[in-house]
Amino acid sequence: MINRELLAPRSIAVIGGSNNIHKPGGAIVRNILQGGYQGTLRIVNPKEDEVQGIKVFHDVRELPPTELAVLVIPAKLCPDSVELLARDKQTRAFIIISAGFGEETKAGAELEQRILDTCQQYDASLIGPNCIGMLNRQHHSVFTQPIPKLSAQGVDFISGSGATAVFILESAVSKGLQFNSVWSIGNGKQIGIEDVLQYMDETFDAERDSKVKLLYIENIANPDKLLFHASSLIRKGCRIAAIKAGSSESGSRAASSHTGAIASSDSAVEALFRKAGIVRCHSREELTTVGCIMTLPPLTGKRFAIVTHAGGPGVMLTDALSKGGLEVPKLEGEAAEELKEKLLPGSSVSNPIDILATGTPEILGTAIDYCEKRFDQIDAIAVIYGTPGLTTLYEAYEVLHQKIQECRKPIFPILPSLHTAGPEVAEFLQKGHVNFSDEVTLATALSQIMSTPAPAPMEVQLYGIDIPRLNNIIYHLEGDGYVEPGIVRQLLECAGIPMVPEMVSSEKDQLISFAQRMGYPVVAKVVGPVHKSDVGGVTLNIRSAEHLALEFDRMMQIEGATAVMVQKMIRGTELFIGAKYEERFGHVVLCGLGGIFVEVLKDVQSGLAPLSYGEAFSMIHSLRGYKILKGTRGQQGINEQKYAEIIVRLSTLLRFATEIKEIDINPLLADGDQVVAVDARIRIEKELKIETFNNIL
């Protein structure tokens, strides 16, 4: 729980505060004092009489009632201190800096549990243990540096790691990014990242609260809760970016299906963030750059003008923006010619607008004015202006300051000269601006923001799904493992997924009769072995009964063969859909190019079931091979609507059949308007039934 005593305490006691500012107890006292805390600050230290000018209490028992306690004492002393403070001093909020709890030993975990039990008993908030603290505009209860500039318009930052939070703050401060609050949750015994988001969601005030949230996550304890409250905040007008560290470990374990080999916990994270509308970042620099972008007016289009006095950075920014799906349109016509007349000889206006190293602050202002007022095909302006050693940067940055305030179109300042123009850049940042010192990092972050879809709708697409029949089929299955082709076909029929005509049999004559009715050519596949191609169990383009009879005899000799499947042979673009159950997340649905390409190229996109049509289209359009699906070199493209429909239907099927742990449909063949499942396998585990997303659907 998060209460007023934690956020805006009228009194704070630092248990273990000291005069040594090089230790956490002293540093926290210093930061609270320097932060201008308006309440009563008390210190408990048995060995000191005065700490940093404040009279000291020698024992916790001597304290008067105190709302918030910050504990910087050995772990073994914390449980008794928390109990005494909660019981006798009416303390209702605790920040425990101390380490040595559940992150280290079983005995430490027991100490941690005692603290949690006490906090639960007295309805007290608990941050930590094992954290750097928290800070907001009311109190700076952290022991680390730097302390960023705080503002109601700043970002809220929540971190699962204290040390990493410090590094992220370092990166942010150098860019001028301001903060509203910083939460270091440590072990998160009571309050985790999901709980902070829940509080921010349930108390959100669009007029008062920060609209940008940055997250550093090491463990997603409750994906449902994170999804629900993050997407809710975004729908209310917030923007959220996050790093999820440690997502690669479980994806390397052996698996018996294409999906199992490709899907991983990282796929689940990617899918969760896509569903919630969270911008995913992979480094501190990327996270803080995205945070800076989010504090600027939102982009209304993808077309950039670049104003620069250095050709190289302008070209690199152009390349990076174009690679990320943004545009740097050519500027021409009457307005462009007018602008060129106002610039120095040798300047270029085609975009990038190169005003040359000798370009003055006045010329910089003129170029920005034309981008703002005369070039209607421009949605945003990037300004690259460092120090060529020829102009006064204070004046140039003052012009830039004025234009940012005046212009309707967002301006992205790229001021790269941090070494030679440090004071000038610092003064610019003091006026409330941000700085992107590297143009390629900026372009990458912009691309990531623009490619992140809006939160998915919460409704499940039930149209055409035969749920009663699905439940009946699952109920009557015996045992676990991969189910026979006939059951696979029945399950896909429940979702309305179209399939190629086929017959499975251990009788040669039945299969030959079926092939004659369907018409040749046909395909024969062995039934039994999971990877048919690996054991020579697939033969294409069979054009006669004699050939089919020979292939039947051969395949039945393959180890593990129980029957042969014959299908009508069809051609088309090979697609892939699969899904795998990930603990706590639910089913991760994958789509991409099919056949052998799914393993060779691993060009897949992931989504979290159940999926909306918007999510399915976003997954399809995000594939690197999307141009193939769209149609290239005169080739007809696939029916994207049908492909998206199958993705959505499969995800809905999985929502109501949690016993399905892995499913491959590979390939789906897309030919003209048709998208048809050719081969599929499904693995069932009936013993373990886990419901996911119940609380949000």
Side-chain angles (χ1 to χ4, degrees):
M1 58 169 292
I2 296 173
N3 55 23
R4 180 198 58 78
E5 288 85 352
L6 178 66
L7 300 175
R10 299 185 182 95
S11 55
I12 300 175
V14 180
I15 316 301
S18 72
N19 284 305
N20 188 346
I21 61 171
H22 300 294
K23 292 186 176 181
I28 280 186
V29 174
R30 175 202 61 197
N31 288 343
I32 292 174
L33 290 173
Q34 291 182 353
Y37 174 59
Q38 298 298 305
T40 302
L41 179 60
R42 302 178 177 117
I43 314 294
V44 175
N45 187 317
K47 299 178 181 179
E48 302 278 358
D49 293 327
E50 184 176 287
V51 165
Q52 299 183 44
I54 299 175
K55 185 178 178 181
V56 167
F57 296 89
H58 293 140
D59 193 289
V60 173
R61 295 175 181 84
E62 300 173 4
L63 283 171
T66 303
E67 292 192 343
L68 167 65
V70 183
L71 277 65
V72 200
I73 55 178
K76 63 182 180 181
L77 302 179
C78 288
D80 289 341
S81 297
V82 169
E83 184 174 1
L84 189 152
L85 286 161
R87 183 188 65 227
D88 299 340
K89 308 301 178 182
Q90 293 78 55
T91 304
R92 294 297 177 262
F94 295 90
I95 298 174
I96 301 183
I97 305 298
S98 315
F101 291 92
E103 78 281 2
E104 292 188 5
T105 65
K106 182 178 179 181
E110 292 172 354
L111 296 175
E112 198 170 353
Q113 187 61 46
R114 282 184 56 196
I115 293 170
L116 177 63
D117 291 343
T118 300
C119 289
Q120 301 292 70
Q121 179 182 351
Y122 291 95
D123 292 329
S125 292
L126 171 64
I127 294 290
N130 185 31
C131 68
I132 64 170
M134 67 171 290
L135 68 88
N136 56 28
R137 288 178 290 122
Q138 281 68 44
H139 64 103
H140 298 184
S141 295
V142 295
F143 68 86
T144 54
Q145 297 282 357
I147 302 294
K149 185 174 181 181
L150 297 173
S151 163
Q153 287 73 48
V155 306
D156 291 315
F157 173 42
I158 315 165
S159 176
S161 165
T164 307
V166 173
F167 300 148
I168 290 172
L169 288 173
E170 290 273 7
S171 172
V173 167
S174 67
K175 296 178 177 65
L177 182 60
Q178 299 181 17
F179 288 77
N180 179 56
S181 67
V182 176
W183 302 68
S184 164
I185 65 164
N187 293 358
K189 189 64 179 178
Q190 183 200 70
I191 298 173
I193 289 174
E194 299 92 335
D195 301 296
V196 179
L197 280 178
Q198 178 181 1
Y199 176 82
M200 291 179 175
D201 179 25
E202 293 176 349
T203 64
F204 182 72
D205 183 333
E207 299 297 324
R208 180 195 68 208
D209 294 340
S210 169
K211 293 184 175 63
V212 179
K213 321 292 181 187
L214 303 183
L215 315 176
Y216 174 79
I217 307 170
E218 291 187 340
N219 177 52
I220 301 178
N222 190 331
D224 290 7
K225 188 184 248 187
L226 179 65
L227 169 61
F228 182 82
H229 292 294
S231 57
S232 175
L233 280 165
I234 293 170
R235 289 190 185 93
K236 292 174 181 176
C238 292
R239 309 172 83 184
I240 302 178
I243 295 173
K244 170 60 178 76
S247 297
S248 60
E249 56 187 84
S250 67
S252 61
R253 63 179 180 266
S256 56
S257 69
H258 297 298
T259 303
I262 297 170
S264 66
S265 60
D266 191 60
S267 302
V269 170
E270 192 75 31
L272 176 65
F273 284 12
R274 179 195 299 276
K275 198 174 194 70
I278 296 172
V279 177
R280 188 172 189 190
C281 302
H282 295 87
S283 70
R284 302 191 304 270
E285 284 299 305
E286 188 177 357
L287 181 68
T288 54
T289 301
V290 168
C292 288
I293 294 170
M294 287 178 169
T295 65
L296 300 177
L299 285 170
T300 58
K302 296 183 176 182
R303 302 167 300 179
F304 273 75
I306 301 171
V307 179
T308 178
H309 65 173
V315 172
M316 288 190 285
L317 179 57
T318 301
D319 291 343
L321 288 171
S322 300
K323 182 179 178 181
L326 301 168
E327 301 172 15
V328 183
K330 185 176 181 180
L331 300 176
E332 52 190 355
E334 181 181 345
E337 293 301 320
E338 283 183 17
L339 174 59
K340 191 168 185 177
E341 289 297 319
K342 296 178 183 295
L343 303 182
L344 297 174
S347 299
S348 170
V349 297
S350 60
N351 204 12
I353 301 170
D354 189 348
I355 63 174
L356 305 180
T358 50
T360 64
E362 292 76 17
I363 288 176
L364 172 65
T366 298
I368 294 173
D369 284 342
Y370 268 75
C371 294
E372 166 71 10
K373 301 172 183 176
R374 299 296 305 277
F375 297 137
D376 295 335
Q377 69 271 46
I378 294 302
D379 303 306
I381 308 163
V383 176
I384 305 173
Y385 205 98
T387 171
L390 301 174
T391 59
T392 304
L393 286 185
Y394 283 115
E395 295 179 6
Y397 291 171
E398 177 60 27
V399 168
L400 186 55
H401 164 67
Q402 294 296 333
K403 297 304 178 185
I404 289 174
Q405 291 183 313
E406 295 170 2
C407 289
R408 174 183 51 84
K409 298 174 183 177
I411 297 177
F412 297 86
I414 302 166
L415 316 180
S417 303
L418 301 180
H419 176 68
T420 54
E424 294 93 328
V425 173
E427 183 180 279
F428 177 78
L429 299 182
Q430 281 296 319
K431 295 175 181 177
H433 302 300
V434 294
N435 173 36
F436 308 95
S437 60
D438 182 83
E439 59 278 351
V440 175
T441 303
L442 169 62
T444 301
L446 281 165
S447 301
Q448 193 72 352
I449 291 172
M450 296 296 285
S451 64
T452 300
M458 294 299 184
E459 304 82 32
V460 180
Q461 305 288 334
L462 293 176
Y463 177 75
I465 309 297
D466 193 341
I467 298 171
R469 184 185 178 200
L470 170 66
N471 291 334
N472 185 58
I473 294 169
I474 296 288
Y475 178 79
H476 286 96
L477 288 176
E478 295 182 359
D480 295 340
Y482 283 94
V483 300
E484 62 170 88
I487 299 298
V488 171
R489 192 173 188 88
Q490 291 178 41
L491 291 171
L492 296 185
E493 285 175 352
C494 291
I497 295 175
M499 290 165 284
V500 66
E502 68 180 30
M503 172 179 275
V504 177
S505 178
S506 59
E507 299 293 330
K508 185 191 309 183
D509 292 342
Q510 288 184 355
L511 294 175
I512 291 174
S513 176
F514 171 79
Q516 290 173 336
R517 291 197 305 272
M518 287 298 100
Y520 291 98
V522 296
V523 178
K525 301 176 182 179
V526 69
V527 175
V530 173
H531 293 296
K532 300 175 180 63
S533 298
D534 294 349
V535 295
V538 178
T539 302
L540 306 177
N541 206 30
I542 297 173
R543 294 183 173 274
S544 68
E546 293 76 16
H547 188 186
L548 178 57
L550 288 172
E551 290 300 332
F552 176 88
D553 292 338
R554 181 184 68 81
M555 289 183 183
M556 289 302 290
Q557 300 302 313
I558 295 173
E559 184 178 354
T562 60
V564 172
M565 174 191 295
V566 172
Q567 295 176 324
K568 175 69 178 176
M569 178 142 178
I570 60 175
R571 299 184 182 276
T573 302
E574 291 189 339
L575 307 174
F576 161 78
I577 301 177
K580 182 172 179 288
Y581 183 85
E582 280 287 333
E583 188 176 354
R584 302 198 318 273
F585 288 83
H587 285 97
V588 180
V589 180
L590 306 176
C591 74
L593 292 172
I596 63 171
F597 296 107
V598 68
E599 288 185 342
V600 175
L601 299 181
K602 291 183 171 60
D603 179 17
V604 297
Q605 290 293 321
S606 58
L608 211 55
L611 295 167
S612 66
Y613 278 94
E615 289 176 276
F617 281 117
S618 173
M619 291 164 64
I620 294 169
H621 296 164
S622 298
L623 292 166
R624 295 193 302 275
Y626 174 63
K627 289 184 178 179
I628 297 174
L629 305 185
K630 196 173 181 181
T632 57
R633 291 180 172 266
Q635 297 295 316
Q636 183 179 7
I638 72 165
N639 187 324
E640 290 183 31
Q641 178 67 36
K642 288 285 182 66
Y643 190 25
E645 181 178 334
I646 292 173
I647 294 171
V648 171
R649 286 176 174 272
L650 178 66
S651 77
T652 306
L653 174 84
L654 296 170
R655 170 65 184 84
F656 293 96
T658 55
E659 297 88 350
I660 296 176
K661 299 308 176 190
E662 284 186 34
I663 180 169
D664 272 348
I665 306 178
N666 183 33
L668 284 163
L669 282 181
D671 182 20
D673 286 337
Q674 299 301 311
V675 181
V676 180
V678 174
D679 199 3
R681 52 181 176 264
I682 296 175
R683 183 171 65 83
I684 297 284
E685 288 181 15
K686 292 187 68 176
E687 288 81 8
L688 184 63
K689 294 186 178 182
I690 300 175
E691 294 296 328
T692 64
F693 299 110
N694 280 346
N695 62 329
I696 63 170
L697 295 174

